[in-house]
Amino acid sequence: VLSGARPRQFAMGDVNDPFYLVKDEIQATVDKVRGVLERMERLPEGNSERQRYASQITSECESVQWQLEELDRATAMAEQDFMRFKVDANELASRKRWTAATKSNVANAERAARSVLDAAKRRGPAGFDPSNSSGYDQGIAAANDDYLNREADNQQLLMRKQDADLDDISASIQRLGQVGLTIGEELETQGKMIDELEQDVDGTNSRLAAAQRKMNQVLKKAGAKGQMCIIAILTVILIILFLVAFM
């Protein structure tokens, strides 16, 4: 509807007709504006919520008005070429009536909302008395002082919280440092134990090597008969030990 491209041909009242798709969207927005307007009108004069509702209504109305203008342009294009758009005069008249009525409703809602905003501007801030500008200035100054005091309190609370967080971080770092020192001492102790174990292993290897050399020397001196005798003696000793252990 809103572009200048060649339109798709639709039958009258086709639910897929872009006009009806946009119409449904606009109608939903208008219903929403009507609900907000009713809530705004139920509130008493001077209520700050009225201004918020009024701002919301004016924003929605401006958007709807733009969409309605686009629909009017699309309807005008269809009116100029019935054969191309396949929309008859009755359908076009119905569309025009709907857009005109919707425009009127939206304009009324916008006027009501703008009257609320204008009244709020004329009243000025709460407690403003046009006949007593000095009192108004004092009220502004007091409000500023209150705001500054609240901000200062908030800053102090924030700084205290940050100090507490920094203390927690410092304590955590100290604990980590102590754990690191403990791990370092443990590693140093384990290193010493490993060095001692390596020294013991080296000593044992040396003694085993010496014993092996002595055994080789004894076996060389004893010869084959001597080796057989040694084996026989050792076998006898083993049998004796076995008998002593199990008898």
Side-chain angles (χ1 to χ4, degrees), residues 17-38:
D17 188 332
F19 176 87
Y20 288 100
L21 296 178
V22 177
K23 176 183 175 181
D24 292 340
E25 180 180 349
I26 292 174
Q27 189 61 53
T29 305
V30 171
D31 293 340
K32 177 182 176 183
V33 168
R34 186 180 296 111
V36 175
L37 181 62
E38 291 176 355

Side-chain angles (χ1 to χ4, degrees), residues 61-78:
C61 287
E62 290 174 357
S63 176
V64 170
Q65 287 171 347
W66 178 83
Q67 289 177 301
L68 289 172
E69 292 295 334
E70 292 297 316
L71 282 182
D72 281 341
R73 281 194 286 271
T75 302
M77 291 174 59

